[in-house]
Amino acid sequence: MISEAAKQLLIQIVGRENYDDSKAGRLVYSYDATPQFQAIPEAVMAPRNTKEVSEIVKVCAEHRIPIVPRGSGTNLCAGTCPIEGGIVLLFKHMNRILEIDEDNLTATVQPGVITLDLIKSVEEKGLFYPPDPSSMKISTIGGNINENSGGLRGLKYGVTRDYVLGLEAVLANGDIIRTGGKLAKDVAGYDLTRLLVGSEGTLGIITEATLKLVPMPEAKKTMLALYQDLEAAARSVSKIIASKIIPATLEFLDQPTLRVVEDYAQIGLPTDVKAVLLIEQDGTREVVEREMRQIERICKEEQAVSVQLARSEQEADALRTARRSALSALARLRPTTILEDATVPRSEIAKMVTAINEIAEKYRVMICTFGHAGDGNLHPTCPTDARDDEEMERVEAAFAEIFAKAIELGGTITGEHGVGAMKAPYLEWKLGKEGVEVMQAIKRALDPYNIMNPGKVFAKSTRKRVVVTK
Amino acid sequence: MISEAAKQLLIQIVGRENYDDSKAGRLVYSYDATPQFQAIPEAVMAPRNTKEVSEIVKVCAEHRIPIVPRGSGTNLCAGTCPIEGGIVLLFKHMNRILEIDEDNLTATVQPGVITLDLIKSVEEKGLFYPPDPSSMKISTIGGNINENSGGLRGLKYGVTRDYVLGLEAVLANGDIIRTGGKLAKDVAGYDLTRLLVGSEGTLGIITEATLKLVPMPEAKKTMLALYQDLEAAARSVSKIIASKIIPATLEFLDQPTLRVVEDYAQIGLPTDVKAVLLIEQDGTREVVEREMRQIERICKEEQAVSVQLARSEQEADALRTARRSALSALARLRPTTILEDATVPRSEIAKMVTAINEIAEKYRVMICTFGHAGDGNLHPTCPTDARDDEEMERVEAAFAEIFAKAIELGGTITGEHGVGAMKAPYLEWKLGKEGVEVMQAIKRALDPYNIMNPGKVFAKSTRKRVVVTK
């Protein structure tokens, strides 16, 4: 509860125009992109600089008020749903690209910068910021860092974590720390930078980031390989990488996803095949030409029924956009869409997809699967209806079994979406009791009053997702 | 102190042959490659498996006995000097490459594997493990992980941290945890993998690691560019990278280093120039050819007096080996060699080298500088004599000023050597009081009795290096 005294202190910090506790204002920030989670915050605040963030945190620490930092709320793990109330912190005033340093190949940004805006700004200078979550048109860099977002280029280029060189952050006691810097190498103490990346706002609030850039690849080509056999598609993935080629993108869509995406995007995707691989390579012109020819040969050897090279950048872009729209397309089918993030070693993809299909059948639910085949990061997605309790029971049971299978195959419960409130009940499956305990010890050490995005990452007791309404 | 009761428990775990508390045995492990640090451990133990490590730690936790995990002791920060006594833990029985997985491009290894042995084993399969610390012929993977070792290929390929996908580790309470896996993406909770990497044995003992491999580049070329002007060499570095080329190696040697290295290696290095850049590029044949031509042009534009391409792999290897031998060569000059690790943003290299030379003059000490110019990681090295107190005072003062300058230029006190006991007094300069406090909070949370490599990373009070003798 925010007392009147605390409220006045908070308003003093940011000004009345940046403190909103109206019913309408709070309702807007009561949920994020994750279905089934909603909770009303007590106030929504928009600090204008790091000092204000620090002052807000000090008041919150003193008054034990939960703080939930929020970018655009595109996360899929209920990471920004304020399930214990308190304050939702917005970064709409802290949304500037502070510097693009072409000598050191870095960008320094505030957390509220939109991912795509950063990507476009650096590309104008012939540079490249690879992390490209599907939500990049709306998502913020701050959100990407908190969730350690992945994307379509993860296989070759890695994820957000691999591009964060330094951070400024406000800790739970209001201290402002700076980690790392414009440095390719820095081993001065523990790696706080990477401890904060992916910590989902539970250890500190990111107020500035120094990001690594790389030179823009000279050329890029895009290809679609069509299969009547799931295993053949999976074998192609393995064989491409075994032949020492690491494509920039290596995406998989199954037939149900394909049909829905084509229905939505209308770009002439084949809907009569069992699986599609969307493959991209970038680099120098010669290498891209050569490797795409090799990839084509491998796909054909592995019984691809057709391999089509995009004839133009427009066509390539249409294919990428279609893939990125998979969630939106699937979301049109039924009232609720649950998109998951089970990830396995690349060699286990065929087994995992087969298991997902068997599990869907067993529990009589529809599951469409697409995802980043190259890095084993699959997104089994279930169009369902949260109002139907009986069906939801089956959906829950199916996903629990999918997570268990991913772990059994040496995988994880989440590859890029984060744990949040949604997957907290399953964290122990991946980490064991000891692993969760050591994370909790870190959490307690850094946030003794549990005010930083409470209720995330660590579950109270149940292994079931819970519909939270406050 | 190890009581007789504790000693008997420890012997029961590993067998008498793996517990050595003889004076000679202890003396051998009383120091590492860092000058000026020596302390006698109470015992040296060699566990045979993870279970034994866990049992040892449980006994040590109960009896408050310090544990110092040690690879080959090649570190340069007194990271494995047992300055608070206790047990030095060796991994000579845990030195196997458990698996090289060509489908998932991973290697799973025990901590005692020699770095070069791993590199050779994966290269036989056409794969590549890029981290290549200069000590790689002797250093172990466990040591590399504990120190987050860098190397000559850091600019293009990153450091050890970037290749650790998963760990098995024993925590301070004896718990065995497993982090990550054969996974390109994994965001299940905090990034314990990277928290452990570079934590110098102060948070846990690494007992197994899953490492990322990449395809072996098809071709490699090596070039030497000679300069009569330090600034010109630094400008070449900036211009190469500004032209969107990221070389695999971009090493710098100043004239004093060059002379000593040539005297040692006798391979015909020029000793009449002020600075040399050793440049390597790898990749496909076409790209390497083209980029090396571009690099050559840039170096010449920036007043290189000569640019020489290695004519054969033997010649290239001789150049690389000469560079790697810089420390050994410099160590021949005087009884004590202090090699440092100040790191700055790439754009600040010329300023930093100039500052180092001015500081050396001011304090009348000899400082030779070489290092990884591409990533701003310099190794100013001082041949001196630890027996000469007056000179050592000046050496201390000079290095303190070098660290201060590095920080002033946006750099760090250590790029790849670690903090250990040696740089602990300077940690606060980089991190601020708040930064050190949050690291100490993590340390206390994970190791409440301070038994895991105590006395490292965090200094008691002084800002001066201390000669420790126990």
Side-chain angles (χ1 to χ4, degrees), chain A residues 85-209:
Chain A
I87 292 165
V88 168
L89 218 58
L90 304 181
F91 294 90
K92 59 185 183 182
H93 301 309
M94 296 173 71
N95 64 349
R96 279 181 308 135
I97 297 175
L98 301 173
E99 185 196 28
I100 294 175
D101 179 339
E102 294 181 74
D103 283 334
N104 292 303
L105 303 189
T106 59
T108 303
V109 301
Q110 292 185 312
V113 171
I114 301 293
T115 312
L116 189 62
D117 290 347
L118 173 69
I119 290 176
K120 282 184 178 163
S121 297
V122 305
E123 289 188 358
E124 275 169 23
K125 296 182 187 294
L127 295 170
F128 187 36
Y129 177 71
D132 64 336
S134 289
S135 55
M136 67 185 188
K137 275 188 198 173
I138 334 165
S139 71
T140 65
I141 293 292
N144 294 170
I145 292 173
N146 275 318
E147 299 295 329
N148 186 16
S149 302
L152 275 63
R153 300 191 281 235
L155 168 60
K156 182 170 181 176
Y157 289 103
V159 294
T160 300
R161 178 188 63 223
D162 302 306
Y163 294 86
V164 182
L165 294 175
L167 291 172
E168 180 189 76
V170 175
L171 301 177
N173 59 2
D175 276 355
I176 300 167
I177 60 165
R178 292 194 80 96
T179 71
K182 291 179 179 178
L183 299 166
K185 287 176 175 172
D186 180 19
V187 291
Y190 304 148
D191 194 342
L192 291 185
T193 307
R194 282 154 201 95
L195 182 62
L196 286 168
V197 174
S199 67
E200 307 186 4
T202 63
L203 299 179
I205 296 169
I206 286 149
T207 50
E208 193 185 296

Side-chain angles (χ1 to χ4, degrees), chain A residues 104 180 186 190 202 347 412 430, chain B residues 104 151 180 186 190 202 347 412 430:
Chain A
N104 292 303
D186 180 19
Y190 304 148
T202 63
S347 56
T412 185
K430 163 68 178 145
Chain B
N104 292 303
D186 179 19
Y190 303 149
T202 64
S347 57
T412 185
K430 163 67 179 148

Side-chain angles (χ1 to χ4, degrees), chain B residues 369-411:
Chain B
T369 299
F370 62 96
H372 318 296
D375 42 42
N377 180 202
L378 294 171
H379 296 312
T381 303
C382 181
T384 181
D385 186 344
R387 294 163 305 186
D388 182 337
D389 290 345
E390 186 277 329
E391 180 172 328
M392 288 309 291
E393 285 285 330
R394 284 184 283 117
V395 171
E396 284 298 336
F399 275 113
E401 211 164 308
I402 287 172
F403 292 145
K405 186 72 188 177
I407 302 281
E408 183 196 319
L409 293 172

Side-chain angles (χ1 to χ4, degrees), chain B residues 2-21 43-45 48 52 55-56 59 87:
Chain B
I2 302 178
S3 66
E4 187 55 33
K7 175 175 166 175
Q8 290 314 319
L9 288 170
L10 293 167
I11 289 174
Q12 260 175 40
I13 297 167
V14 292
R16 183 158 290 282
E17 67 281 16
N18 290 311
Y19 184 95
D20 184 2
D21 58 1
V44 179
M45 292 183 70
R48 290 163 295 193
E52 289 186 359
E55 286 170 5
I56 291 168
V59 171
I87 292 165

Side-chain angles (χ1 to χ4, degrees), chain B residues 50 75 153 172 177 320 327 334 396 414 436:
Chain B
T50 302
N75 77 84
R153 301 191 281 235
I177 60 164
R320 280 193 294 269
L327 173 55
R334 295 194 58 202
E396 284 298 336
T414 174
V436 174

Side-chain angles (χ1 to χ4, degrees), chain A residues 265-283:
Chain A
Q266 305 267 344
I267 60 160
L269 284 173
T271 53
D272 55 342
V273 294
K274 285 280 186 301
V276 153
L277 293 179
L278 170 67
I279 306 166
E280 296 198 293
Q281 184 56 304
D282 59 14

